[in-house]
């Protein structure tokens, strides 16, 4: 034959027998082996950027964006996926994570990759601001954490508030634009 393709499986799930054992013996026989990368895989986060307490939190209809170095060494957006996201004990999974995992794996060979989650992708910044101001007028004595819980699961509230530099225990009326 002019060409032979050997589909020997990956190494993503050793408990199911996908250990990558065939690659070394294929190389020893003189075959070229295409570099294997993760795809359709969960994303593991650095331990200093991950809170295992969030394990099990699911967010629907969000957008996950990944930024990192492209093949030319320029920092740019690598991938974007709209759908559901699940926080796990080691990172994130679900359709969004699986959708960007191949691009993330390739970019990680060139350097660190950052991930960003938009919990309200259907809202423009202007529409969000108008909605927040309206909520502030209607519920001046409620806490900021209560407002945040309107948009994300309660277990994410401290993280979202912290990222915004806001105390979730502060009243909405006392909240200033940040």
């Amino acid at each position: 034959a002019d060409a032979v393709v050997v589909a020997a499986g990956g190494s993503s799930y050793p408990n199911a027998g996908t250990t990558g054992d065939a690659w070394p013996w294929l190389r020893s026989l003189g075959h070229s082996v295409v570099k294997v990368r993760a795809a359709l895989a969960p994303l593991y986060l650095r331990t200093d950027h991950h809170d295992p307490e969030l394990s099990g939190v699911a967010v629907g209809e969000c957008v996950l964006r990944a930024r990192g170095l492209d093949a030319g060494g320029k920092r740019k957006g690598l991938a974007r996926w709209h759908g559901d996201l699940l926080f796990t004990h080691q990172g994130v999974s679900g359709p969004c994570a699986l959708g960007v995992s191949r691009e993330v794996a390739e970019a990680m060979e060139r350097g660190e990759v950052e991930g960003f989650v938009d919990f309200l992708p259907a809202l423009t910044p202007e529409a969000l601001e108008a909605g927040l101001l309206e909520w502030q007028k209607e519920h001046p004595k409620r806490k900021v954490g209560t407002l945040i819980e309107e948009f994300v699961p309660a277990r994410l509230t401290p993280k979202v508030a912290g990222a915004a530099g806001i105390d979730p225990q502060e009243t909405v009326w006392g909240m200033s634009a940040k």
Side-chain angles (χ1 to χ4, degrees):
D2 292 333
V4 175
V5 175
V6 178
S11 62
S12 62
Y13 195 37
N15 290 344
T18 58
T19 60
D21 291 342
W23 304 329
W25 60 262
L26 285 168
R27 275 192 202 96
S28 73
L29 293 172
H31 294 284
S32 58
V33 177
V34 175
K35 183 170 177 100
V36 177
R37 292 185 181 94
L40 297 175
L43 302 175
Y44 295 149
L45 303 177
R46 287 189 353 208
T47 55
D48 60 334
H49 282 73
H50 179 256
D51 183 352
E53 295 293 319
L54 296 178
S55 182
V57 173
V59 180
E61 295 303 312
C62 64
V63 170
L64 176 62
R65 292 183 299 118
R67 283 183 54 83
L69 299 177
D70 66 11
K74 207 173 196 182
R75 185 162 264 328
K76 68 172 229 165
L78 303 168
R80 176 183 192 280
W81 201 272
H82 182 265
D84 298 340
L85 187 69
L86 174 67
F87 289 85
T88 68
H89 62 287
Q90 293 181 308
V92 291
S93 190
C96 282
L98 302 179
V100 302
S101 63
R102 182 179 58 83
E103 290 87 351
V104 167
E106 289 174 1
M108 286 180 65
E109 295 173 6
R110 298 184 292 272
E112 191 169 289
V113 176
E114 299 172 300
F116 303 91
V117 180
D118 182 349
F119 294 112
L120 303 169
L123 292 178
T124 65
E126 296 79 18
L128 178 59
E129 181 180 15
L132 292 174
L133 290 172
E134 185 63 33
W135 203 90
Q136 185 181 39
K137 286 178 191 171
E138 291 176 11
H139 310 285
K141 295 186 183 202
R142 291 208 182 152
K143 294 188 167 117
V144 172
T146 305
L147 168 63
I148 294 171
E149 287 174 13
E150 296 274 329
F151 303 105
V152 299
R155 286 174 45 202
L156 281 177
T157 297
K159 295 290 184 189
V160 170
I166 300 170
D167 178 0
Q169 297 305 313
E170 181 180 1
T171 62
V172 175
W173 189 252
M175 184 177 69
S176 60
K178 297 189 185 213

